[in-house]
Amino acid sequence: LVAKDYSRQALVIEREIGILGGIMNCLITLGTVALEENQLSEARVHLREMLQIAHKIGVLATVIGAVERIANLAQLTNHPMIAVKFASAGAALGRPLDLLKPCTLKRLDVSTATLRTALNDTEYESAQLQGEALSWDAMVAEALEFCSPTECSP
């Protein structure tokens, strides 16, 4: 609760100052905490804005982190194929640039194991291939569309 409160206060200050990197960092914390607390509508809003900012200012590692969290959101909102697609896209685009941190890889492994049980092999492989085929811009566009207010409803 403390991290959430401080991040909300910091977000107000960062918005007043207008520093996109600071806003993005606050949104990372708020989006992650909202996911952990199963506040999925709140997570969607924070993750969407976080991804928009990271993409705009070109912070590729944060783009990957946002898409990984959006894959988690897809999983939690009962969209396992979309979750696999986004997780696969993030992994495929992040690996060659060495953008995947050990903690991200561990979360992807846990998420992948869970998603494999939610889908049959054909569905899983199809979603994985679709994700691996996405470009950076396509991955971001699809993740933003998924998190639009009309698409991503818990």
Side-chain angles (χ1 to χ4, degrees):
L1 185 63
V2 173
K4 190 175 184 178
D5 291 338
Y6 285 138
S7 292
R8 282 186 177 147
Q9 292 171 7
L11 181 59
V12 170
I13 294 167
E14 295 292 354
R15 286 192 195 283
E16 286 177 11
I17 297 170
I19 304 295
L20 291 177
I23 295 168
M24 181 184 70
N25 287 333
C26 294
L27 293 167
I28 291 168
T29 302
L30 291 170
T32 302
V33 170
L35 277 175
E36 291 174 3
E37 293 179 345
N38 208 35
Q39 301 295 320
L40 304 182
S41 293
E42 183 180 338
R44 175 192 54 78
V45 171
H46 295 313
L47 296 175
R48 187 172 204 284
E49 186 178 2
M50 170 187 156
L51 178 56
Q52 288 172 318
I53 293 171
H55 186 61
K56 178 179 181 174
I57 63 177
V59 183
L60 299 181
T62 303
V63 169
I64 294 294
V67 171
E68 180 242 327
R69 286 168 178 84
I70 292 168
N72 189 6
L73 179 63
Q75 182 178 0
L76 293 171
T77 56
N78 201 27
H79 295 92
M81 288 194 67
I82 294 172
V84 171
K85 184 178 183 178
F86 290 157
S88 297
L93 292 167
R95 237 180 227 112
L97 301 174
D98 200 29
L99 295 176
L100 301 178
K101 299 175 185 175
C103 61
T104 300
L105 290 171
K106 185 175 180 178
R107 278 194 307 268
L108 284 172
D109 288 343
V110 169
S111 180
T112 299
T114 303
L115 289 166
R116 280 202 174 272
T117 63
L119 300 169
N120 67 42
D121 289 343
T122 303
E123 291 171 326
Y124 186 91
E125 290 171 16
S126 174
Q128 186 176 29
L129 290 172
Q130 289 173 31
E132 290 171 352
L134 290 176
S135 67
W136 277 96
D137 289 336
M139 176 184 69
V140 169
E142 289 195 26
L144 289 173
E145 181 179 340
F146 177 76
C147 281
S148 70
T150 58
E151 289 296 320
C152 181
S153 53

